[in-house]
Amino acid sequence: MSALLEVRDLKKYFPVRAGLFSRVTGWVRAVDGISFTIGAGETLGLVGESGCGKTTAGRSILRLIEPTSGQVLYQGTDLLTLSPAEMRRRRRDLQIIFQDPYSSLNPRMTVGAIVGEGLLIHGIGSRAEREEIVRETLRKVGLDPAYINRYPHEFSGGQRQRIGVARALALNPRFIVCDEPVSALDVSVQSQVVNLLRELQEKYGIAYLFISHDLSVVKYLSDRVAVMYLGQIVETASSEEVYARPLHPYTQALLSAVPVPDPDRRQARILLPGDVPSPLHPPSGCRFHPRCPSFIKGLCDERPPAMIDYDGHRAACHAVEQKRRP
């Protein structure tokens, strides 16, 4: 599968300022050199604990916040080198579904104005044509076109998220960043939105970067999974491979916390000691080593592990490398 989107060594650092003159005293390394590819019509699940940099990565890819360095190649073109005018034209193909269905919709705008805003900005069609596109898009996401003149406060959380999905779909994008789109919804509503995303992908061939901390949802929706810890990707593989045979100790700990829908089956939990270190002062060597049950003194705390390919299953871990060494 050819890559629709390729991210190379993407970094996003936020300055920390202090003192009378607000001088920069340090950098928060929210995203620190991540790389991955997404093919046309494919879903890459990006998982990890809260604060690991998943949302910052998604927004940096779309240049909603400007990355510090790296490359984001969309159909071979580096988005980070484009002028604002050129980037605006590209945004028709690149959309985002935000996490919170309440704060992401303007309460002063009608549903028709929210969903049709992108059409208006890009000068697509006449007013009547834009209204028809909005009505058709609402039908696609399972909403009554008669809702076009209603306001966000008149809808439930699940309906609001469908409006957010409709807004992303209106321009017929090829790639959508789904930033934890179901985390703020009830479980029953989550399944409706996840199934909607899957149906839309099968019908229109949209590629997703699906950001979530809910590993059950990621397993259901994703073709491949990338596991992120403290600004770096530590493991990538197909969804089936990651869930069946996780290599990295961090991935193993995450999967051990997933509830099993069987009261007679008990799963051993892997409890990680301590808290996630600060991205302002990340640990030396492997960033996971202060909490790692497979820690190797003199190696993990001194040398950052390389991302190594084990027959299509990639992991950055010294312990895994030593076990797999011939």
Side-chain angles (χ1 to χ4, degrees):
M1 181 185 295
S2 60
L4 176 71
L5 184 87
E6 184 177 358
V7 176
R8 297 179 181 173
D9 197 27
L10 184 67
K11 297 180 181 180
K12 177 56 184 178
Y13 296 172
F14 293 97
V16 176
R17 302 180 184 274
L20 181 62
F21 299 103
S22 296
R23 292 175 178 169
V24 175
T25 58
W27 297 90
V28 175
R29 302 179 182 186
V31 177
D32 198 9
I34 65 171
S35 301
F36 56 81
T37 61
I38 301 177
E42 182 185 33
T43 299
L44 175 69
L46 185 60
V47 303
E49 294 170 289
S50 295
C52 71
K54 305 185 299 295
T55 293
T56 301
R59 297 189 179 201
S60 296
I61 289 169
L62 300 182
R63 289 183 65 181
L64 297 181
I65 53 177
E66 287 295 330
T68 302
S69 65
Q71 290 181 299
V72 179
L73 302 176
Y74 173 71
Q75 294 182 321
T77 300
D78 188 357
L79 299 180
L80 306 190
T81 64
L82 300 182
S83 68
E86 292 171 328
M87 189 63 204
R88 171 179 278 195
R89 288 192 291 271
R90 287 284 184 176
R91 290 197 187 281
R92 292 183 59 171
D93 286 349
L94 310 164
Q95 293 294 308
I96 185 170
I97 301 169
F98 294 100
Q99 176 179 357
D100 188 351
Y102 292 87
S103 63
S104 63
L105 302 180
N106 189 332
R108 297 175 181 272
M109 295 174 67
T110 64
V111 169
I114 290 170
V115 177
E117 186 175 19
L119 301 170
L120 179 63
I121 289 172
H122 288 279
I124 297 173
S126 63
R127 182 173 180 177
E129 289 170 336
R130 288 195 296 269
E131 183 173 322
E132 182 54 37
I133 293 173
V134 170
R135 290 181 182 275
E136 180 58 31
T137 305
L138 291 176
R139 290 190 193 97
K140 289 179 183 177
V141 300
L143 291 174
D144 190 335
Y147 294 165
I148 195 169
N149 292 318
R150 294 188 181 183
Y151 289 85
H153 73 269
E154 300 178 70
F155 296 90
S156 67
Q159 289 175 319
R160 288 183 187 215
Q161 197 60 294
R162 286 175 182 265
I163 295 168
V165 174
R167 175 174 56 187
L169 283 177
L171 291 168
N172 294 319
R174 297 195 62 191
F175 172 72
I176 297 178
V177 173
C178 303
D179 183 13
E180 303 205 35
V182 297
S183 64
L185 305 176
D186 293 336
V187 175
S188 59
V189 180
Q190 284 185 13
S191 62
Q192 295 173 13
V193 175
V194 168
N195 286 330
L196 170 64
L197 291 173
R198 194 168 191 173
E199 290 167 9
L200 292 170
Q201 183 178 54
E202 291 172 355
K203 189 172 183 179
Y204 300 106
I206 306 168
Y208 294 140
L209 174 63
F210 191 85
I211 298 169
S212 181
H213 59 263
D214 189 330
L215 294 169
S216 300
V217 174
V218 170
K219 182 180 181 180
Y220 175 73
L221 196 63
S222 301
D223 300 297
R224 291 186 298 116
V225 175
V227 182
M228 196 167 179
Y229 183 80
L230 207 62
Q232 297 181 335
I233 290 176
V234 298
E235 184 168 0
T236 60
S238 68
S239 180
E240 296 83 2
E241 184 72 15
V242 166
Y243 284 84
R245 289 172 291 277
L247 295 180
H248 199 282
Y250 177 62
T251 309
Q252 294 169 2
L254 287 180
L255 292 177
S256 75
V258 177
V260 178
D262 184 349
D264 297 323
R265 180 184 166 196
R266 292 186 175 273
Q267 182 165 292
R269 286 289 307 275
I270 301 174
L271 300 177
L272 299 176
D275 297 320
V276 180
S278 168
L280 179 60
H281 301 292
S284 60
C286 174
R287 295 188 175 184
F288 185 58
H289 87 258
R291 308 172 71 198
C292 183
S294 302
F295 168 63
I296 302 171
K297 187 173 179 58
L299 178 62
C300 298
D301 52 347
E302 293 182 3
R303 186 157 56 92
M307 182 69 81
I308 298 176
D309 192 321
Y310 303 99
D311 297 323
H313 192 151
R314 306 177 73 233
C317 177
H318 291 301
V320 173
E321 183 180 358
Q322 290 198 352
K323 289 179 183 177
R324 294 296 189 104
R325 186 177 295 164

